[in-house]
Amino acid sequence: MDFDLTDEQRMLSESVNRLLTHAYGDFEHRKGYRAAPRGFADANWQALAEMGLLGLPFDEADGGFGGGPVETMIVMEAFGRGLVLEPFLATVVLAGGLLRRAGSEAQREAILPSVVEGSMVLAFAHQERQARHDLHDVATAARRDGADWVLDGAKGVVLAGDSADRIIVSARTSGARRDREGISLFLLDPATPGVTRRGYATQDGLRAAELVLEGARVPADALLGHEGQALPLIELVVDEANAALCAEALGAMDVLRDLTVDYLKQRQQFGQAIGNFQALQHRAADMLVATEQARSMAMYAAMMVQSGDAAARRTALSAAKALVAKLADQLGKDAIQLHGGIAMTEEYKAGHYFKRLTMIGTLFGDVDHHLRVVVAAGGLPEAV
Amino acid sequence: MDLRYTPDEIAFRDDLRTFFKTQIPAEIRRKVSEGRKLSREDIVTTQRVLHAHGMATPNWPLEWGGKDWSPVQRYIFSEEIQACAVPQPLSFNVNMVGPVIATFGSQAQKERFLPSTATLDIWWAQGFSEPGAGSDLASLKTTAKLEGDEYVVNGQKTWTTLGQYADWIFCLVRTDPAAKKQQGISFLLIDMKTPGITIRPIITIDGGHEVNEVFFDDVRVPAENLVGQVNKGWDYAKFLLSNERIGIARIGLTKERLARVKRLAQETPAGEGMVWDDPDFRRRLAWSEIELKALEITQMRVVAAQRTKASDKPDPSSSILKIKGSEIQQQATQLLVDVAGPYAMPRPDREEEGLNLPSVGPEWADAAAPLFFNYRKVSIYGGSNEIQRNIIAKAFLGL
């Protein structure tokens, strides 16, 4: 039992936070980044690359840093504090997580070095409109045609899908829409004929895309991993994404709580700071309780996502995501309420944190979905 | 970062588990598991078994029978004794007055009281709360006036838990009526057999006799029974309450309770299936389990931090553990009432009338509602949850 960070992890945390203070310390900067063509700052992406963060979980042989879930947690918590726009989750955690595990040597060599140096953004296109949160629900089809694969279908809310230079697409190579078997992964160049994408802003200021595949033809070597066997890997990577989102939510919750408490000390009404009122003090205290519970669950997620027992891992990650999302929702709403009118303005920071927390709550499974997973498993796994 | 126990810590836990399950009478552990009332003998028997194995007072100084355990080992002990449904050593003796005497008492007081406090040959009660001094404890009014070599004590204490069994009571008394609130208070040890002491039971909403009122009417106490310095009692009381930190959330106990709720839900018929088949019930149970897991890790973080951190800066952790721990304890008792369903209603055991009739429904169901009623106390005692929120807001958030 040990909660200490190693020296390397402490250094990682310090340097990420230093970078973000520089890039995101002035909230006005974020507005500028959003207006850029890709919806984030090229310079920030390069800075992340120079720090080695874009290869954080990759093997050293692939040019990476060899980091694990704790390193990802440290980075994502800092990103949550800064409300970072750069597509680390999509590129490194999601698509990178699939590629580094399922990719052949040739596939990894073709892509990972470009990711590490910051010249390539990746996305993972899995979500389909009818599937909602069921990862095994895949209607998009891939059929063999000579040496090629031909993809047909539609993918939705693909994070960073509009700026991605390569997209990993899940498609069914056999079986029926809701079968666990028969799902495969393909590496897709979005410039391929038959691929159309419609990029858009999301409510939290990030970017995503709808992807339509109409007879999109990819070569045989675009298949990533074993044919028809992708679901367990998709589940693992989505668990990793949820662990990362728990950490991001925690960082955002910490900032939002501090912002609220500071405001309670400054705002004068009835001739005194509103923080003198007990009704507000107790809600602020509950915000602290919520962040500490969320911090514990983010750590639990980082721990359990490494578990070799896939069923225990899935249940634990659902438990973590359900509670963090519930606490984030409660804290976000309280932050707006305790601020009052000022937090309703677009200009003020609090609303942006609230919006990101709200979207984290729905990404990769909402509270109800994850609670259902825990219920179906009969409760939490025994071991820590 | 690694939330798992090391192999040494696992071995330590497994040894404790074997010890608890083989050395503590099964009937006593069953009562704890079912949330039934323990007799005086149950508590004494258990503490003497623990003491015989050097485990009644692990947190005391080594020379008075403590263990040089690490914070993690202390935590494992606290969790495992709860998870094995073993009655914990009497808190008034072991966590409260024992450490105060060992730290602030005279050599004579240590020699006189500590050995029999450890073995429960002296049963201590806590005399802090008064009718007018609950959350605002420092407003207490019981006075102790020095006359020669005796203090004359007058006043009333209340909520005296298990005072009906007590041989001695440690009291906060006002020794300087002119001093401001906290400053005029002393820590006094009083023999319950002293003339002028009257004890009256308070029957609580669960029908049980757990707490009492204690009246002091010109009670003469030897001055040598004052612990430490006169008018410094408030400091000793704060020290005493800070010892409560580990285990205040009673996570091990709640874990055991939730496991039992699960087991009973799987065995209790409900229409075409069992209570367990009701998704709404299962969702509520899942929330309790999830919140408990988060709290368990919060507690582990507190334990781990004790190794490194100096503890003089404001720390909200004990308030967080108290608030969430009490809420989840209460949820667990409520779930048990829900499993019992209509058979939460019969009340064959009417202690105040001396009745103990056979169970109407399943035997375990008799104890469900009383436990739920009784557990409303946990968000009130030890600094109510509202007081804990005040502490967080003022001491930590600076509001």
Side-chain angles (χ1 to χ4, degrees), chain A residues 199-355:
Chain A
Y200 48 83
T202 52
Q203 295 289 347
D204 49 11
L206 275 68
R207 302 279 308 174
E210 299 295 289
L211 189 69
V212 178
L213 306 161
E214 290 166 309
R217 181 176 293 271
V218 296
D221 64 4
L223 178 71
L224 192 65
H226 297 294
E227 183 185 335
Q229 303 295 313
L231 186 61
L233 179 59
I234 292 170
E235 289 177 339
L236 170 62
V237 168
V238 168
D239 283 349
E240 289 179 336
N242 271 325
L245 288 171
C246 286
E248 186 185 346
L250 171 64
M253 288 168 77
D254 271 330
V255 171
L256 199 45
R257 183 204 61 224
D258 288 346
L259 209 55
T260 306
V261 171
D262 286 346
Y263 189 76
L264 292 179
K265 290 176 187 171
Q266 285 161 22
R267 172 71 174 166
Q268 301 276 325
Q269 288 287 273
F270 305 103
Q272 57 185 312
I274 60 174
N276 290 338
F277 300 128
Q278 196 177 39
L280 306 190
Q281 288 178 353
H282 281 196
R283 291 177 74 169
D286 283 336
M287 292 174 89
L288 182 81
V289 175
T291 40
E292 291 312 308
Q293 289 283 79
R295 192 179 320 281
S296 294
M297 259 344 207
M299 290 175 168
Y300 181 63
M303 242 343 267
M304 291 302 289
V305 80
Q306 307 173 59
S307 169
D309 176 346
R313 186 198 75 221
R314 300 235 71 202
T315 310
L317 264 293
S318 281
K321 182 73 192 304
L323 184 57
V324 170
K326 183 182 166 192
L327 294 169
D329 173 67
Q330 171 198 315
L331 180 139
K333 289 188 293 204
D334 275 350
I336 303 291
Q337 180 69 23
L338 293 188
H339 274 92
I342 181 75
M344 292 301 297
T345 66
E346 174 76 8
E347 191 186 352
Y348 191 68
K349 275 161 90 166
H352 297 271
Y353 281 87
F354 173 55
K355 289 194 278 186

Side-chain angles (χ1 to χ4, degrees), chain B residues 319-369:
Chain B
S319 294
I320 294 172
L321 292 172
K322 170 70 186 4
I323 292 171
K324 293 311 295 182
S326 57
E327 287 176 2
I328 303 169
Q329 285 177 68
Q330 290 175 337
Q331 286 167 19
T333 62
Q334 183 148 27
L335 286 165
L336 197 62
V337 172
D338 295 341
V339 176
Y343 283 96
M345 290 192 72
R347 188 176 166 221
D349 174 4
R350 300 213 299 276
E351 191 178 310
E352 72 277 23
E353 296 165 48
L355 282 177
N356 192 1
L357 304 174
S359 293
V360 179
E363 200 191 334
W364 62 265
D366 293 348

Side-chain angles (χ1 to χ4, degrees), chain B residues 212-286:
Chain B
N212 302 272
E213 297 177 290
V214 183
F215 299 87
F216 299 86
D217 186 10
D218 283 334
V219 175
R220 305 191 80 84
V221 180
E224 67 191 32
N225 288 3
L226 188 123
V227 176
Q229 293 175 23
V230 72
N231 295 335
K232 291 284 179 206
W234 189 254
D235 294 344
Y236 311 148
K238 279 203 301 191
F239 164 84
L240 172 158
L241 294 170
S242 73
N243 281 333
E244 274 283 79
R245 192 153 91 179
I246 292 188
I248 194 169
R250 300 173 100 192
I251 289 162
L253 186 72
T254 307
K255 248 190 200 172
E256 203 269 344
R257 288 242 161 90
L258 288 179
R260 194 160 159 271
V261 164
K262 207 182 253 192
R263 214 163 50 236
L264 291 168
Q266 286 165 348
E267 295 167 359
T268 304
E272 288 175 2
M274 298 290 166
V275 173
W276 180 246
D277 301 316
D278 172 0
D280 290 326
F281 173 82
R282 291 267 291 275
R283 272 194 277 275
R284 288 194 296 124
L285 176 60

Side-chain angles (χ1 to χ4, degrees), chain B residues 30-44:
Chain B
R30 197 177 72 90
K31 279 192 189 173
V32 173
S33 179
E34 294 181 1
R36 290 178 181 279
K37 295 273 168 344
L38 294 168
S39 68
R40 188 184 201 279
E41 289 65 39
D42 292 335
I43 294 170
V44 172

